[in-house]
Amino acid sequence: MTQHFIVIGNPIAHSKSPDIHADFAKQVGLDIRYARQYCPDNQDSFIAVVEAFFAGGGVGANVTVPFKQMAYELCEQRGGLSQHAQVAGAVNTLMQKEGHLYGDNTDGQGLVNHIQQLGWQLDTAKVAIIGAGGAARGVILPLIQAGISQLTLANRTLDKATTLLQQLRQADTQIANAKTQVCAINELTGHFDVIINATSIGLSGEKLPLQNSLTCVYAYDMMYGRELPFLQHFAKQDSQISDGYGMLIGQAALSFELWTGQQPTTAAAAFMD
Ligand code: ATR
């Protein structure tokens, strides 16, 4: 019998998730239908879409911009949340468990899995994350669980980084016990094993105020696409670089596994256009 899945977002037409999940299903021999689901940007509409989908026998839903926090709130009120979703304050994967809505967040572990697939060492790594919004929040716990030795959180608005780290330290003992610090982006200097761009700056044309004395072995941009200025900056310094396309596939693979119990292969090259 065909199993039904959706990705809920606004906008949603550009989403690559249906293609990625169709490939996973083919790999493991499952009969699925995975559709893009547009939703008006308000809570009532989002709840109506989720309720109708699961009432109609849907198996699992991905949630993308701008609904990840709404999905978190819905699961908090009506069902359950994984530890990663709780700490991230956001849900990207919905399913039903024992008749209740359950939310998880696979974004951060998707990043960690991709970085490890690249062969970049995270265990004992000195890591800097630039950005202190939702994207940064979702990856901090999985990175700490991957064994990094210290984390510097750099943000344009320093207060936001300070508040985020305070909240996360209260929410999770592994984060509270980790070696962490905050700074402004233009004060981020020295050498790191890995620097991750988690700002929304992407291809906007704006540039981060990076110091020349800031260097790294590996630079990762959570956005994907060619010619990301952040990656170009570190490529000139001979750092190894990666965009976030493999993270997109990594988070999808983890959602797929949560829903179906099957572990697909995530070799990113298989999904490039
Ligand atoms: P997301 O969910 O993608 O993380 P967000 O919560 O809006 O989106 O956070 C955006 C992040 O990108 C923030 O860290 C923001 O910095 P501020 O907290 O100072 O706003 C960062 N950002 C966006 N545009 C930026 C720019 N031009 N320069 C530096 N940082 C920028």
Side-chain angles (χ1 to χ4, degrees), residues 130-137 154-158 160-161 185 198-201 204 206-209 223:
I130 304 178
R137 184 180 181 127
N155 199 40
R156 175 176 61 181
T157 315
L158 185 59
K160 227 169 121 181
I185 300 173
T199 70
S200 52
I201 200 163
S204 65
E206 288 177 278
K207 280 199 171 170
L208 296 170
M223 297 273 173

Side-chain angles (χ1 to χ4, degrees), residues 115 118 120 128 192-197 210 215-222 230-235 237-244:
I115 287 180
L118 289 166
W120 301 3
F192 290 85
D193 296 304
V194 185
I195 303 181
I196 297 167
N197 181 19
L210 302 174
T215 58
C216 63
V217 186
Y218 305 114
Y220 193 100
D221 200 321
M222 287 172 64
F230 171 82
L231 295 182
Q232 288 174 330
H233 173 93
F234 286 106
Q237 296 187 358
D238 290 333
S239 308
Q240 288 189 50
I241 60 168
S242 175
D243 75 358

